[in-house]
Amino acid sequence: MVKPNNYWYYEVSKCAPQYALRYLSSAWKRCFAKISGVPKFKKKGRDDSFTLDGSISVGFHQIKLPRIGWIKTHEVLPDNVTPKSVT
């Protein structure tokens, strides 16, 4: 129902919404187990992050993400490392 109305859904990675739902599920499980309080919405534009997994390559000062391409980083990354997921 969502995909035919939103053409951009095919252009983005499926990982970000899946990880968001996983994190939300674990937050509610902690809430119902009385470990923590009710999850709160984050403000848009402050400390934004998302998680991707798949074929991720690491360069000297850059990471190659699926569907996005090469992203520059501020820190030096280790060589010969293939991470399973990146946040």
Side-chain angles (χ1 to χ4, degrees), residues 24-35:
L24 180 63
S25 173
S26 66
W28 278 111
K29 285 179 185 176
R30 286 192 312 270
C31 176
F32 292 138
K34 305 286 187 199
I35 297 171

Side-chain angles (χ1 to χ4, degrees), residues 34-68:
K34 305 286 187 199
I35 297 171
S36 63
V38 178
K40 298 177 183 174
F41 288 104
K42 293 196 287 184
K43 280 195 171 183
K44 190 174 174 182
R46 303 183 93 207
D47 300 326
D48 289 338
S49 66
F50 61 96
T51 304
L52 290 176
D53 59 1
S55 59
I56 300 168
S57 303
V58 177
F60 186 65
H61 276 287
Q62 55 191 2
I63 299 173
K64 185 174 183 181
L65 301 175
R67 301 262 185 174
I68 295 176

